[in-house]
């Protein structure tokens, strides 16, 4: 017997996801499965953790419910008999804690329900958000659909928020949240999208649309690369002379950060140094690195000059007040002084500074490593956790990068490239930005091609850090997650709308594999149909 539903649910801006309009589909007595097809067990009563779940009430009216269809797929679902839940005008969203007010108001508005705040009474049709349940993964949640109500609970606000995203997706377009219990949590704590706004300015509204999309897909990071050779894209009070005409004001960035925080997304700023500082150098040509023949080195500041460190630290300190998240990207890649055959001979001023600071054996690579550590100390003073590109870490230096600097691994094409396992074997935590799968480079320069969702979905996992080969499974715990990245080398190659369309399926495939790296239950064709149905 089907549970008919007449009418259309009003959803907010962002991704929506289909759920079946009936409660059935799975054979009676079937075990719940994870999204990768593994048997997940029989589960427990979410009201009484650790106790066996009660047997579904026998009913001739409803078959066992079917697993929700969402992106990313839920990790497990215990089916039950019943009509499921569907939003009706006038029904309530209630919370047990004022900290969930934002999540409650958001889902209420998206589903056309009323937000009733903290309530202890129970009414038919209620959606109840509950904060609690002890420790565990703060991004985990349990969603129970039973007796005509929905209960979403988790140990942290983020987990409860993700539960509301699952509910929103299930009832998209007039569907029904299936009866039963969803238990869900991500495999990886970092699920990111990085955007290069230095080479191509993106509007505030476009970025905010992406934040809404990312939130509904359960991403939790937005990286902003806003300083490079081409431009500096955010208003600055400490150094207004470096800011490009087409830029975001601090008020705009503040709104972007606030919207991201409301979706449990951390905005990760990147001021890349000591390379990729051409926009700063344009206003301060005296800081540009020059070789022994006086030839200027593109984008590189002279790190033997104290003024170079001072201007970068000024910016890091200034923007620490604007970007309120706990993460920071220092860049560190492609410093051109280290791409020549003999850096000491080509840049004698750097070699002299290295010897002065680190002794007679000091090298230019030591000096660059010292620069990275110094910038990390500046940001660390603001209680930020730091990351840098893998080619900002150098082999064979007497000075080592601070151990807490995370490796943003993007390529193995640099001079002296080291395999990912070398960083992992040293105990470092690594983030996956694999340029083979996760780099969307406008204009497709060099060997880059626009990545496809299908290739990510079928071939990539977080352990595939470089090329197409996975690192050994023993390192999985050190790989914190990854980021899909848009780079704008040829900024006019695509419009904002074309970029949004081009990254749509890659974003969905990436988050599916970060949420659950196992082989997905759906074929790519079915996954794409699901995404198309969801909008």
């Amino acid at each position: 017997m089907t549970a008919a539903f007449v009418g259309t649910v009003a959803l907010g801006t962002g991704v929506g996801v289909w759920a079946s309009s009936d409660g059935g589909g799975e054979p009676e007595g079937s075990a719940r499965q994870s999204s990768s097809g593994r048997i997940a067990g029989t589960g427990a009563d979410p009201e009484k953790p650790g106790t066996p779940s009660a047997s579904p009430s026998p009913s001739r009216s409803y078959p066992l419910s079917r697993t929700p269809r969402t992106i990313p797929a839920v990790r497990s679902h215990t089916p039950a008999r019943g009509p499921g839940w569907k939003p009706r005008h006038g029904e309530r969203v209630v919370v047990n804690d004022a900290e969930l007010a934002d999540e409650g108001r958001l889902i209420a508005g998206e589903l056309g329900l009323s937000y009733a705040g903290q309530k202890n009474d129970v009414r038919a049709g209620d959606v109840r958000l509950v904060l609690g349940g002890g420790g565990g993964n703060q991004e985990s949640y349990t969603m129970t659909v039973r007796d005509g109500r929905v209960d979403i609970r988790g140990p942290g606000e983020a987990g409860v928020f993700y539960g509301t995203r699952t509910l929103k997706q299930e009832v998209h377009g007039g569907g029904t949240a299936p009866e039963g219990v969803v238990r869900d949590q991500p495999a990886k704590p970092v699920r990111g999208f990085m955007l290069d706004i230095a080479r191509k300015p993106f509007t505030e509204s476009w970025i905010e649309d992406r934040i809404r999309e990312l939130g509904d897909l359960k991403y939790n990071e937005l990286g902003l690369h806003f300083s490079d050779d081409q431009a500096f894209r955010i208003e600055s009070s400490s150094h207004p002379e470096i800011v490009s005409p087409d830029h975001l004001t601090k008020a705009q960035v503040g709104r972007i950060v606030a919207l991201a925080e409301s979706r449990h997304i951390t905005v990760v700023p990147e001021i890349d140094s000591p390379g990729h500082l051409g926009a700063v150098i344009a206003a301060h040509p005296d800081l540009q690195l020059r070789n022994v023949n006086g030839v200027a080195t593109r984008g590189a500041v002279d790190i033997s000059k104290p003024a170079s460190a001072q201007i970068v630290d000024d910016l890091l300190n200034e923007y620490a007040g604007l970007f309120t998240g706990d993460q920071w990207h220092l860049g560190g890649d492609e410093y051109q002084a280290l791409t020549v055959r003999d850096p000491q001979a080509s840049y004698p001023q750097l070699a002299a500074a290295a010897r002065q600071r680190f002794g007679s054996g000091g090298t230019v690579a030591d000096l660059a490593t010292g620069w990275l550590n110094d910038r990390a100390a500046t940001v660390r003073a603001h209680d930020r956790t730091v990351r840098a590109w893998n080619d900002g870490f150098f082999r064979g230096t007497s000075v080592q990068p601070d151990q807490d600097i995370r490796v943003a691994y993007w390529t193995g094409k640099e001079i002296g490239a080291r395999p990912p396992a070398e960083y992992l074997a040293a105990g470092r935590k690594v983030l996956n930005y694999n340029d083979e799968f996760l780099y969307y480079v406008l204009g497709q320069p060099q060997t880059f091609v626009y990545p496809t969702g299908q290739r990510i979905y079928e071939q990539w996992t977080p352990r595939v850090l470089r090329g197409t080969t996975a690192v050994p499974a023993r390192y999985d715990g050190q790989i914190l997650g990854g980021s899909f990245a848009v780079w704008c080398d040829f900024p006019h190659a695509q419009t904002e709308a074309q970029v949004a369309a081009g990254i749509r399926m890659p974003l969905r495939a990436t988050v599916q594999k970060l949420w659950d790296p196992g082989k997905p239950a759906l074929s790519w064709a079915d996954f794409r149909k699901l995404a198309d149905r969801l909008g």
Side-chain angles (χ1 to χ4, degrees):
M1 177 178 177
T2 60
F5 179 60
V6 179
T8 301
V9 179
L11 296 181
T13 304
V15 68
V17 183
W18 167 89
S20 67
S21 60
D22 59 31
E26 293 189 9
E28 185 170 345
S30 64
R32 61 189 174 95
Q33 293 187 331
S34 74
S35 60
S36 56
R38 298 182 293 273
I39 299 298
T42 58
D45 187 341
E47 303 287 344
K48 298 178 181 178
T51 63
S53 58
S55 300
S57 300
S59 169
R60 297 177 182 274
S61 300
Y62 301 102
L64 283 173
S65 58
R66 61 184 295 174
T67 300
R69 293 290 180 90
T70 60
I71 295 176
V74 301
R75 301 294 293 275
S76 72
H77 176 249
T78 303
R81 298 182 185 279
W85 179 90
K86 38 199 173 183
R88 301 180 189 278
H89 181 72
E91 290 177 343
R92 310 181 305 174
V93 174
V94 298
V95 300
N96 81 324
D97 192 304
E99 294 297 315
L100 294 175
D102 289 344
E103 290 78 10
R105 289 191 182 97
L106 179 62
I107 190 64
E110 290 168 331
L111 301 187
L113 307 176
S114 64
Y115 175 67
Q118 287 181 264
K119 300 290 183 182
N120 292 320
D121 63 312
V122 176
R123 294 185 187 176
D126 276 356
V127 174
R128 178 172 292 274
L129 309 184
V130 178
L131 190 62
N137 188 332
Q138 296 294 293
E139 294 188 308
S140 66
Y141 69 92
T142 300
M143 183 173 73
T144 303
V145 179
R146 185 168 56 202
D147 300 328
R149 295 187 299 275
V150 179
D151 179 283
I152 299 172
R153 61 182 61 218
E157 292 175 56
V160 176
F161 172 71
Y162 296 142
T164 68
R165 300 305 87 194
T166 294
L167 179 63
K168 175 184 175 181
Q169 293 173 19
E170 286 180 334
V171 302
H172 171 72
T176 299
E179 202 87 4
V181 181
V182 167
R183 293 176 180 85
D184 203 13
Q185 65 179 34
K188 293 298 180 183
V190 177
R191 303 175 302 282
F193 169 61
M194 199 228 74
L195 181 65
D196 170 15
I197 65 172
R199 295 177 178 87
K200 180 182 180 68
F202 286 84
T203 61
E204 176 189 359
S205 61
W206 191 92
I207 295 171
E208 289 176 341
D209 284 345
R210 299 291 73 71
I211 289 171
R212 296 183 184 97
E213 180 180 16
L214 295 171
D216 281 357
L217 291 168
K218 303 186 176 105
Y219 277 88
N220 64 1
E221 276 194 3
L222 168 64
L224 288 182
H225 176 92
F226 63 89
S227 168
D228 214 302
D229 295 340
Q230 294 79 0
F232 193 98
R233 297 288 186 191
I234 296 178
E235 175 188 358
S236 171
S237 56
S238 66
H239 290 281
E241 74 280 0
I242 71 174
V243 180
S244 302
D246 193 348
H247 65 270
L248 295 172
T249 67
K250 287 189 175 181
Q252 289 176 309
V253 175
R255 290 192 291 268
I256 288 168
V257 170
L259 179 63
E261 287 180 343
S262 75
R263 265 59 174 184
H264 296 274
I265 294 171
T266 298
V267 180
V268 184
E270 181 193 357
I271 299 176
D272 201 346
S273 78
H276 293 281
L277 284 172
V280 172
I281 292 168
H284 295 273
D286 56 307
L287 300 182
Q288 185 158 31
L289 178 65
R290 294 180 179 274
N291 70 10
V292 68
N293 299 315
V295 177
T297 304
R298 174 177 169 81
V301 294
D302 188 333
I303 60 175
S304 70
K305 295 183 175 182
S308 295
Q310 185 62 57
I311 194 170
V312 173
D313 281 349
D314 288 347
L315 296 167
L316 295 175
N317 286 321
E318 176 182 359
Y319 291 115
L322 182 61
F323 294 98
T324 55
D326 63 349
Q327 302 292 313
W328 201 285
H329 201 319
L330 291 174
D333 63 314
E334 298 180 326
Y335 188 50
Q336 296 301 309
L338 291 166
T339 63
V340 298
R341 183 184 301 273
D342 187 347
Q344 281 65 234
S346 294
Y347 299 96
Q349 76 277 34
L350 299 184
R355 290 192 298 271
Q356 181 179 4
R357 181 171 180 183
F358 301 114
S360 60
T363 65
V364 175
D366 287 325
L367 194 66
T369 303
W371 170 282
L372 179 66
N373 288 342
D374 290 345
R375 306 293 78 74
T378 298
V379 174
R380 200 181 291 118
H382 297 282
D383 297 320
R384 303 300 197 267
T385 298
V386 182
R387 69 188 65 168
W389 298 114
N390 62 285
D391 50 335
F393 296 74
F394 308 110
R395 177 190 278 132
T397 55
S398 60
V399 180
Q400 293 299 308
D402 293 341
Q403 191 62 33
D404 66 338
I405 302 176
R406 296 172 174 179
V407 179
Y409 199 98
W410 72 282
T411 190
K413 300 171 184 173
E414 77 274 17
I415 295 174
R418 287 184 285 167
E422 205 169 301
Y423 301 91
L424 293 162
R428 291 194 179 274
K429 294 180 179 179
V430 177
L431 298 155
N432 192 325
Y433 291 76
N434 187 336
D435 65 346
E436 175 76 20
F437 288 92
L438 306 179
Y439 262 36
Y440 192 95
V441 186
L442 298 196
Q444 303 183 106
Q446 301 171 21
T447 59
F448 289 107
V449 295
Y450 293 129
T452 67
Q454 181 173 2
R455 190 160 181 256
I456 296 167
Y457 190 77
E458 294 178 345
Q459 300 180 31
W460 179 80
T461 74
R463 283 172 46 212
V464 180
L465 286 161
R466 171 178 170 178
T468 59
T469 303
V471 298
R474 65 180 178 274
Y475 294 127
D476 187 63
Q478 291 171 243
I479 301 170
L480 302 179
S483 286
F484 187 86
V486 170
W487 293 99
C488 302
D489 291 40
F490 290 90
H492 302 297
Q494 289 191 340
T495 65
E496 284 186 343
Q498 288 172 322
V499 173
I503 66 176
R504 180 177 171 273
M505 288 309 300
L507 280 176
R508 284 151 178 76
T510 300
V511 81
Q512 173 59 47
K513 302 303 282 290
L514 289 167
W515 196 266
D516 184 351
K519 183 178 179 180
L522 296 180
S523 68
W524 170 251
D526 287 340
F527 185 81
R528 179 158 197 135
K529 288 177 184 176
L530 175 60
D532 289 344
R533 190 180 295 129
L534 308 182

